[in-house]
Amino acid sequence: MAWGFVLIILTYFYSHYFLASNTVHVTAMYSAFLLASISIGIPGLYAALMLAFMSNLIGGITHFANTTAPIYYASQQVSLGRWWSIGLIVSIVNLLIWGGIGSVWCYILGML
């Protein structure tokens, strides 16, 4: 159950590399991944919140991830490769914080 949810979260998060915007990503995938999470036994509120947090955190992983990213990228202060590599590093840190500490906090609050 827990490893299944980790796989769901990772797939949801990193599939954003293949989609053009946060709006497209959430519209296309949020409800399907929420239902998949609930079907493997994850509490609905926890699954909904974790997917919502991930929907927000994907905003910085690529140069097209959110509305302001193309504007920053167009300034040509950061190369594409550097943007993506820093985005990958920050995404791993974010996932560890939100998945680790966030899950413990949800457990303390009684959501798990």
Side-chain angles (χ1 to χ4, degrees):
M1 173 172 75
W3 288 110
F5 188 60
V6 169
L7 182 62
I8 287 171
I9 289 294
L10 290 175
T11 303
Y12 181 79
F13 190 89
Y14 287 112
S15 65
H16 186 63
Y17 276 106
F18 305 107
L19 296 164
S21 73
N22 285 8
T23 305
V24 169
H25 186 261
V26 172
T27 302
M29 304 179 86
Y30 183 88
S31 59
F33 279 71
L34 179 59
L35 289 174
S37 301
I38 293 170
S39 73
I40 63 168
I42 303 300
L45 177 61
Y46 175 72
L49 288 174
M50 287 301 285
L51 289 169
F53 300 151
M54 296 305 118
S55 298
N56 195 25
L57 294 173
I58 59 177
I61 62 175
T62 67
H63 64 293
F64 56 83
N66 64 27
T67 308
T68 57
I71 297 168
Y72 293 126
Y73 178 68
S75 72
Q76 298 180 349
Q77 299 297 314
V78 180
S79 69
L80 182 61
R82 185 153 172 83
W83 189 301
W84 279 46
S85 60
I86 290 171
L88 178 63
I89 292 165
V90 171
S91 72
I92 293 168
V93 171
N94 277 331
L95 288 171
L96 290 173
I97 292 169
W98 286 86
I101 298 169
S103 293
V104 171
W105 183 246
C106 287
Y107 179 79
I108 291 168
L109 294 177
M111 290 185 209
L112 285 174

